[in-house]
Amino acid sequence: MIKSYNGEHTCVISKKNVEATSDWIAKKFVLVLRDHPEMTAKGIIAEMLKFGVHPSRMQVYRAKKKALEEIEGSHGISYSKLPKYAELVRIHNPSSICKIHYDMPNLIMKEPRFLRMFISFKAQKDGFLAGCRPFVGFDGCYLKGPFGDVLLTAVALDGNNSLFPLAFAIAETENKETWSWFFHFFEEYFGPFGSHVPLTFMSDRQKGLNLAYEEKVPQADARYYCRHIYSNLKLQFPGLLLRNYFWEVAKSFDIVGHNKAKAKIKDMNIEAWKYLSKIPVSAWARHSFKPEIKCDHIINNLTESFIAWVGELRGKPIFTLAEGLRRKMMKKFHKRFQNGCTWTNNITPKVVKKMKVMAQQYRKCELMLATENMFAVRDSEKTHRVNLTNRTCECGAFQMTGLLCKHAALGIVYRREPLEA
């Protein structure tokens, strides 16, 4: 339709023409997105310009929505595919777990409402029990779909200090109830965890997470996310000097350094010292961690990195999200297997890299021998006794991480032995 205003012609597009244009753009969207799923809206607009079409932002939005629904399915319909998906997981990936929980308040209700789903594959269980440290981080994040679901994750560390996803769940919200449901199946699938197992769970203490695992897996030691502790501390007691003292308290491997840094906080701000004293030291200070774990992590970067790794899948329908995570983890595990087959050393590459850094740090230390395996090392104003037979050092880092500290490394280099041994 063309109308004339003051001698100028203006094209007016009717609602029916707008919908037809959006449908045409959507068809082009489907063709482009199938070949280039990573293409953005700006890229699509550039493709449309090749056909002489100048779509508006709303046309692009509607067209992309239609195209994604045609390729991936709608968010609502995706939930109906989950029972069949769970059955296929059990058939084609035996010994895996895929549990779905529905809300069915009465028997008259024909279609129960989806609440949550828990998934973990056999390769994840075997890898955790065979090659990971008994240290697991837990966290949750909101999904970007229309129903406000959350993604609950459990992530461990493998022998190369790389992320090792253990399980994930999609739930209606993040609270003590959903986390208790998560830990019920986590303990059932990966456990049972006896009191003899040195297990540690890291959390940010938010939304009932720590209350849930203390109830479901009471034998696991709690470790708190230090960055979250500091964020709460900073709200009440801001200051750059206090921040430095806090991280000095948290990162110290020996009790002497811990108490010394904590005394500085007490002298500077007694209320901040009281606030930190209420938090169990064993949950956030390195020197009090169990050495059997061989993990000195005080921040929960492993789960945050995993959530970032999930990426655009957070906005996909639930079926596409679950299948997309399975594919990404399968590719990641196979790639690590291929890399592992090329290693010629018994020590993983990341550990070798740490050894090289350590080789630069011991140069400023002074060695005082007692026997071949027992000696003292003077480092600045402190002197540390090292016992290579027992793999201990008074600095605490040797027994806490299982890796050579700079004091032990100095004694090994003096004996002209390789650090990797």
Side-chain angles (χ1 to χ4, degrees), residues 23-42:
D23 290 338
W24 183 85
I25 298 174
K27 292 178 182 178
K28 294 297 181 183
F29 252 119
V30 172
L31 296 175
V32 174
L33 289 177
R34 279 178 176 165
D35 295 333
H36 307 283
E38 73 285 350
M39 184 170 288
T40 61
K42 290 183 179 179

Side-chain angles (χ1 to χ4, degrees), residues 81-94 98 319:
K81 299 179 181 179
L82 295 180
K84 186 175 181 180
Y85 180 72
E87 187 62 27
L88 289 173
V89 168
R90 297 187 190 102
I91 293 173
H92 298 288
N93 205 323
C98 183
F319 174 77

Side-chain angles (χ1 to χ4, degrees), residues 332-385:
K332 177 65 70 175
F333 290 165
H334 182 66
K335 184 177 180 180
R336 288 182 183 172
F337 171 76
Q338 288 181 318
N339 291 337
C341 291
T342 64
W343 296 346
T344 57
N345 199 336
N346 292 330
I347 301 179
T348 60
K350 287 187 178 180
V351 175
V352 172
K353 187 177 179 179
K354 281 188 175 183
M355 294 290 188
K356 291 180 180 179
V357 174
M358 201 66 64
Q360 301 298 324
Q361 295 178 347
Y362 68 70
R363 298 177 183 274
K364 299 180 181 180
C365 300
E366 179 186 354
L367 179 67
M368 295 169 282
L369 287 173
T371 64
E372 286 189 358
N373 293 323
M374 296 181 65
F375 47 87
V377 176
R378 185 172 180 80
D379 181 11
S380 186
E381 298 178 355
K382 297 181 179 180
T383 301
H384 304 278
R385 289 178 293 182

Side-chain angles (χ1 to χ4, degrees), residues 208-223:
L209 201 167
N210 62 312
L211 298 177
Y213 70 69
E214 287 171 4
E215 180 181 300
K216 294 293 182 180
V217 194
Q219 61 272 27
D221 292 325
R223 192 176 297 187

